[in-house]
Amino acid sequence: MEEAIVLYPSPLIGHLISMVELGKLLLTRQPSLSIHILITSVPYDCGSASTYIDNVAATIPSIKFHHLPTVTLPSTKTNNLEQIVFEVLRLSNPHVREELLSISKNYTVHGLVVDFFCSAALSVAKELNIPAHYYFTSGAGALSIFLYFPTIHNTTTKSLKDLKTLLHIPGVPPIPSSDMPVPMLEREDKAYEYFKDSSSRFPELSGIIVNTFESLESRAVKTASEGLCVPNDRTPPIYCIGPLIATEGPKDDAVTRNGTTLECLKWLDSQPGGSVVFLCFGSLGQFSKEQLREIAFGLERSGHRILLVEEMKLALPMKESESGFVSAAEVEERVRGLMESEEGKLIRERTVGMKIAAKVALSEGGSSRAALSKLVESWKDK
């Protein structure tokens, strides 16, 4: 029978696009593979992906999409996004099992690749004797934190937001406990429990696929690979196959609207080269009106060309006031520092260097290419 790999992303469109790019990458290494992607639906607006899915399905026949039935959430008053996502994916397990069995009738399924939120599906993979991998869409530094999270839980009794200490996690600089990801801060929250449980399942995986390359995060990659982040259990093989960058996305949303190029991109194309500050964002980040106003004032006063898009999170480290707002003065200081200070110059130089290193990693014989080959070979050995 034809060989297949099943990919299972969480419902957020950023995770879907990254998982599709992983599928494309696998096909460059083994074109005979059939890639099957499981799609869940959620009871909130996470961005329409239908146009994007239709385009991928039409242009890459080896990638097939399977839409799982919608599940009904129990009555709950929570607005916690992470908790809702985990719960939807947990309730989808029977549909995942049914779909895997259906695919297995016509294909030899060599592996199931899930993202961190889809950890509930690992029990289905184990039942069906299918090797399972996490695809970690963040970098190796973040991976080290999640690998070590069960150890933090087992060696503390307070919520991290109340711990008021530095966390010494192997492979990354010391982190103030209150700076950990929000779902990890409150020990009694359901989201905390989900994150802890998903982090505790790393040892049972056949491997971890990470969207990074070794020379970008050499310390974190080395430490995690040597098992120092999971001191009392096994660390599965880690495959750094990145950077994975979308070759195309949901064009109607990101580039054009009704066939017309968006004004923000026209503006960007008209600016002199190297003159615009680019701020990297998440797909579901949101600011309050007060924060947006302060950020806009700060960016304007910085004196640099800025493209600001609402409903996105700044990647620059920002100090918040006690009320949780970011001041215009703080934004201005950070942007000026990035563009004018010696530290900012070093950051820009390092960025150029990492761009070159990324190309080397992805080239024939590069570290990411080698990791990809090892990953595909591991599936053949099963």
Side-chain angles (χ1 to χ4, degrees), residues 11-14 16-17 44-54 249-254 284:
L12 307 180
I13 191 168
L16 169 62
I17 292 174
Y44 58 83
D45 182 11
C46 60
S48 174
S50 57
T51 301
Y52 172 71
I53 289 173
D54 291 345
K251 294 182 179 179
D252 285 345
D253 295 330
L284 283 181

Side-chain angles (χ1 to χ4, degrees), residues 82-310:
E82 290 85 4
Q83 182 178 334
I84 293 172
V85 170
F86 273 115
E87 188 67 11
V88 166
L89 295 169
R90 182 186 68 81
L91 293 172
S92 296
N93 256 12
H95 304 310
V96 172
R97 183 182 185 278
E98 184 177 340
E99 204 63 42
L100 286 172
L101 288 173
S102 177
I103 295 170
S104 298
K105 291 178 182 178
N106 300 306
Y107 299 88
T108 300
V109 179
H110 285 301
L112 172 67
V113 180
V114 306
D115 73 24
F116 183 80
F117 287 91
C118 301
S119 60
L122 297 181
S123 58
V124 178
K126 183 177 181 180
E127 177 194 347
L128 301 180
N129 198 29
I130 298 174
H133 291 64
Y134 271 161
Y135 173 40
F136 204 77
T137 52
S138 299
L143 173 62
S144 297
I145 294 171
F146 282 85
L147 285 168
Y148 198 69
F149 185 41
T151 300
I152 295 173
H153 174 80
N154 292 332
T155 54
T156 58
T157 56
K158 291 183 178 181
S159 293
L160 295 185
K161 66 180 179 62
D162 301 322
L163 203 55
K164 302 186 187 306
T165 187
L166 289 177
L167 298 176
H168 296 274
I169 299 171
V172 297
I175 301 173
S177 58
S178 58
D179 285 354
M180 289 286 277
V182 172
M184 294 181 176
L185 294 180
E186 178 53 67
R187 198 177 182 94
E188 302 305 319
D189 276 359
K190 189 68 176 178
Y192 178 99
E193 182 181 339
Y194 277 129
F195 269 66
K196 176 179 66 68
D197 290 346
S198 289
S199 296
S200 298
R201 304 195 72 169
F202 278 107
E204 67 188 78
L205 298 168
S206 295
I208 305 169
I209 306 166
V210 193
N211 188 11
T212 190
F213 58 101
E214 289 184 12
S215 60
L216 178 66
E217 303 178 89
S218 55
R219 177 187 172 193
V221 171
K222 182 176 186 295
T223 303
S225 299
E226 291 177 348
L228 299 182
C229 298
V230 189
N232 300 313
D233 212 326
R234 71 179 284 270
T235 299
I238 296 174
Y239 303 96
C240 299
I241 48 80
L244 275 178
I245 301 172
T247 52
E248 48 182 278
K251 294 182 179 179
D252 285 345
D253 295 330
V255 180
T256 63
R257 184 170 294 141
N258 298 325
T260 302
T261 301
L262 297 179
E263 287 299 318
C264 60
L265 294 184
K266 289 182 180 179
W267 176 88
L268 185 61
D269 288 339
S270 69
Q271 305 307 309
S275 68
V276 177
V277 177
F278 173 72
L279 304 176
C280 184
F281 310 115
S283 59
L284 283 181
Q286 291 186 336
F287 283 120
S288 67
K289 291 181 179 179
E290 292 84 356
Q291 285 174 314
L292 276 174
R293 189 179 301 114
E294 288 293 298
I295 288 169
F297 289 159
L299 293 176
E300 182 179 13
R301 293 204 307 238
S302 73
H304 297 286
R305 292 177 174 86
I306 305 286
L307 179 61
L308 175 64
V309 181
E310 292 190 24

Side-chain angles (χ1 to χ4, degrees), residues 5 20-35 60 62-63 241 243-245 247 361-364 368-373 375-377 379-380:
I5 298 295
V20 168
E21 292 303 315
L22 175 61
K24 292 179 183 178
L25 184 64
L26 292 172
L27 290 173
T28 66
R29 179 62 180 79
Q30 191 170 343
S32 61
L33 273 177
S34 179
I35 305 295
I60 310 176
S62 295
I63 297 181
I241 48 80
L244 275 178
I245 301 172
T247 52
L362 293 171
S363 64
E364 196 64 42
S368 293
R369 273 295 190 92
L372 179 65
S373 296
L375 172 63
V376 174
E377 290 302 318
W379 281 322
K380 291 182 179 180

